[in-house]
Amino acid sequence: MTCLTTLFPHPLRGLLLVTPFLLSTGLANLTLFLLPFAKLLLPSSLIHTLCSLIAGTLVYRFIQHIFTAINSAEITFSGDTPLPNESAIVISNHVAWSDFYLVQAAADKANMGGHTRYFAKAGLKWGLWGMGMPTVTREWTRDKRELERVFRGVKEEGWKTWLVSFSEGSRFTPEKYLQSRLWCRQNSKPQPEYLLYPRTRGFIATVQHLRKAPHVKAVYDLTLAYQCGEEFQKAPTMWETIAVPKLSLTREQGGVGYRFHVHVRRFPIEELPGDAAGLAKWLEQRWVEKGRWLEARRLRWASVDVLRKTDGIFGGMGRVVDEDSRT
């Protein structure tokens, strides 16, 4: 069975939902852009707190509410439970725009939803600069200065943060997967299944800087999994997350049938290797394990679907449950 979001075009519904969000985001971006200029009058820690409050309420929670409450997207979890109010480095695979919702749901479990900061492309800088987000290119000399700017507040001011990096550097596509496989073959590296080989330089710099901040206690490794119909790692587009209702309801319930899942692993930062080569190998191993976990998740969902179909044929004699914690 394929994923049929075209059953739910709803362009007017999408416009009605996205318009107030865009207005709210525009106001938030203007405020966030101007706030850093108030450093002459206000302490930087207060400005950072205000930025987190604005981002958390006007941007993050607003669009998260559309996705989960209005459009019925159900996000499930497995693995470790994030510790409340813990600052951390966060690494994740990157599938689609909707990854944002899954990462934010995990951050909310730690009461850190307003404190997430994402590595972003330099072209998206307006507003992000004020939030203390690192805006990066692929020019390491420039990026190194930018990372030092962002890390300074975390290390010297003790800013709370969930600093999120999609370590593959790009969204997964079949074409990029083939490129990754070729690179891994040429460089004798393992190619993780359903993933791109991770970029290590930014991760190494982040750990080496932030492990000096006493309140940054851990690295969280998030593995994001999707399914729609029988299509594993099929994620909705940005527009579909806003415009399409009943995202996680089954076809029998009149919905699309998406699955959204986050597998969480917590690693105390003091247990990570101290040298660059060791950190690169550590990240590589996480991605190998992610690939194995994703294949196990695909097989699990497939077996659950078979059992549900069998149960339906025999009149629903037993209730088949895919047991995960839910948002």
Side-chain angles (χ1 to χ4, degrees):
M1 185 183 297
T2 57
C3 185
L4 298 175
T5 53
T6 52
L7 293 174
F8 305 92
H10 300 291
L12 180 58
R13 182 179 186 276
L15 287 173
L16 289 174
L17 289 171
V18 79
T19 298
F21 169 70
L22 291 177
L23 292 173
S24 173
T25 302
L27 176 62
N29 277 336
L30 178 60
T31 307
L32 291 167
F33 182 76
L34 295 175
L35 264 179
F37 296 104
K39 286 182 179 179
L40 295 175
L41 302 174
L42 301 173
S44 60
S45 57
L46 176 59
I47 292 173
H48 179 79
T49 299
L50 290 173
C51 286
S52 298
L53 180 64
I54 292 167
T57 54
L58 292 181
V59 182
Y60 297 165
R61 290 192 185 279
F62 198 135
I63 197 168
Q64 195 84 359
H65 181 76
I66 294 173
F67 184 62
T68 56
I70 297 177
N71 289 337
S72 303
E74 183 178 54
I75 303 170
T76 57
F77 291 86
S78 60
D80 300 329
T81 301
L83 299 184
N85 302 305
E86 180 178 60
S87 289
I89 299 164
V90 182
I91 55 176
S92 175
N93 59 311
H94 195 13
V95 182
W97 156 263
S98 50
D99 296 348
F100 166 83
Y101 301 109
L102 277 61
V103 173
Q104 285 300 127
D108 285 341
K109 282 184 169 289
N111 194 34
M112 294 292 285
H115 297 282
T116 49
R117 299 293 186 269
Y118 293 81
F119 283 85
K121 293 180 180 179
L124 303 175
K125 190 166 185 175
W126 190 70
L128 302 180
W129 174 73
M131 293 174 64
M133 290 197 187
T135 55
V136 295
T137 66
R138 293 185 180 177
E139 298 176 8
W140 179 241
T141 302
R142 183 265 179 203
D143 288 346
K144 188 177 180 181
R145 291 196 301 269
E146 173 68 1
L147 292 179
E148 289 171 351
R149 177 190 73 83
V150 173
F151 295 153
R152 191 176 303 117
V154 179
K155 290 191 299 182
E156 298 177 9
E157 303 287 340
W159 292 349
K160 293 175 64 175
T161 188
W162 251 44
L163 185 57
V164 182
S165 172
F166 294 111
S167 300
E168 293 153 307
S170 181
R171 298 181 187 183
F172 180 94
T173 67
E175 294 77 15
K176 290 174 182 175
Y177 180 67
L178 291 176
Q179 294 171 9
S180 179
R181 285 183 60 184
L182 177 61
W183 185 90
C184 287
R185 189 181 305 118
Q186 292 172 341
N187 292 274
S188 301
K189 299 290 186 180
Q191 171 58 60
E193 198 162 6
Y194 305 108
L195 302 164
L196 307 179
Y197 188 85
R199 299 177 183 270
T200 60
R201 187 181 295 182
F203 173 75
I204 291 167
T206 301
V207 173
Q208 289 180 336
H209 277 82
L210 294 191
R211 73 189 331 164
K212 299 173 185 176
H215 67 295
V216 178
K217 300 291 188 182
V219 173
Y220 282 97
D221 176 17
L222 308 184
T223 304
L224 312 183
Y226 298 86
Q227 186 158 305
C228 186
E230 295 178 356
E231 297 179 69
F232 186 63
Q233 290 301 74
K234 168 68 175 177
T237 65
M238 178 182 180
W239 178 249
E240 288 168 349
T241 67
I242 296 170
V244 178
K246 303 179 182 179
L247 285 169
S248 290
L249 272 64
T250 65
R251 298 287 178 80
E252 293 75 17
Q253 296 170 317
V256 184
Y258 269 111
R259 285 175 166 126
F260 305 99
H261 189 84
V262 186
H263 184 63
V264 183
R265 299 183 69 191
R266 180 186 181 276
F267 297 90
I269 198 166
E270 67 269 15
E271 295 181 4
L272 270 65
D275 62 302
L279 287 170
K281 188 67 176 177
W282 185 92
L283 185 65
E284 176 187 278
Q285 186 58 33
R286 298 289 76 73
W287 249 250
V288 170
E289 292 173 2
K290 277 178 183 293
R292 293 170 183 161
W293 184 91
L294 284 166
E295 173 61 6
R297 174 58 49 163
R298 183 189 69 80
L299 294 173
R300 173 175 172 171
W301 279 343
S303 64
V304 167
D305 289 342
V306 169
L307 288 172
R308 284 175 175 166
K309 289 176 183 177
T310 304
D311 190 51
I313 292 171
F314 289 99
M317 296 173 63
R319 183 167 177 264
V320 180
V321 179
D322 186 12
E323 294 182 354
D324 288 305
S325 66
R326 285 165 167 76
T327 51

